[in-house]
Amino acid sequence: APSQSPDLDLKDAGDHYEAVLDLPGSAKADLDIRVENQTLIVKAQRDETHEEKDAQGNILRSERSLGSF
């Protein structure tokens, strides 16, 4: 899957910075957030599957969303 960049809002709060990232489908356990050489590094893996089934259990629709950044 191709690499993607999340939407990021960065705020200078005086004595620290606050970062807000849009990471739909990423669990906290799948995030790698760190600072290296004064650079914020954010890596994540996303693996979502959604299925819609009828009353008999037959799949009507199946969607998968895979990705990393």
Side-chain angles (χ1 to χ4, degrees):
S3 183
Q4 302 172 358
S5 297
D7 290 332
L8 167 70
D9 293 326
L10 189 61
K11 177 182 174 184
D12 183 347
D15 62 341
H16 66 278
Y17 291 96
E18 296 175 5
V20 177
L21 292 100
D22 291 332
L23 303 169
S26 297
K28 269 187 178 181
D30 297 330
L31 298 179
D32 176 13
I33 303 172
R34 63 184 183 277
V35 175
E36 290 183 5
N37 300 321
Q38 298 183 354
T39 301
L40 177 64
I41 308 286
V42 179
K43 294 182 179 182
Q45 182 70 32
R46 179 187 63 212
D47 184 358
E48 285 185 291
T49 302
H50 298 283
E51 289 186 346
E52 204 174 290
K53 297 181 180 184
D54 64 14
Q56 290 78 34
N58 299 314
I59 297 173
L60 299 174
R61 182 176 59 147
S62 180
E63 296 179 2
R64 285 190 286 166
S65 176
L66 305 171
S68 63
F69 61 89

